[in-house]
Amino acid sequence: MPHTKQTICDFGLHKGEPYTKLPASFLTWMVGINHTKREYADAELKRRESAATNRLTEPSK
């Protein structure tokens, strides 16, 4: 199943929340412990990094 805006965490403290709403510390923890759903966490962290980078490099209007 690909990571999407609707991908929902199905375990732990954040069960029922979309990955887009999870704290970065939780996502980083998932990647760090090699969690079985780490690919979702990694994809969301990369999406956030890309969004932040694009905003910072966007030309002034």
Side-chain angles (χ1 to χ4, degrees):
M1 177 163 106
H3 172 71
T4 68
K5 285 180 131 181
Q6 292 77 31
T7 304
I8 304 296
C9 181
D10 62 356
F11 70 95
L13 179 66
H14 298 288
K15 185 176 184 176
E17 296 179 41
Y19 277 80
T20 57
K21 301 293 183 186
L22 299 180
S25 59
F26 186 75
L27 298 170
T28 301
W29 169 80
M30 288 178 66
V31 172
I33 67 158
N34 205 24
H35 191 277
T36 57
K37 305 250 174 145
R38 72 188 169 278
E39 67 275 3
Y40 297 133
D42 191 46
E44 177 56 21
L45 288 168
K46 287 178 181 172
R47 184 196 69 79
R48 292 179 189 186
E49 182 179 357
S50 177
T53 301
N54 289 338
R55 275 189 230 126
L56 291 173
T57 59
E58 186 175 299
S60 301
K61 293 180 181 179

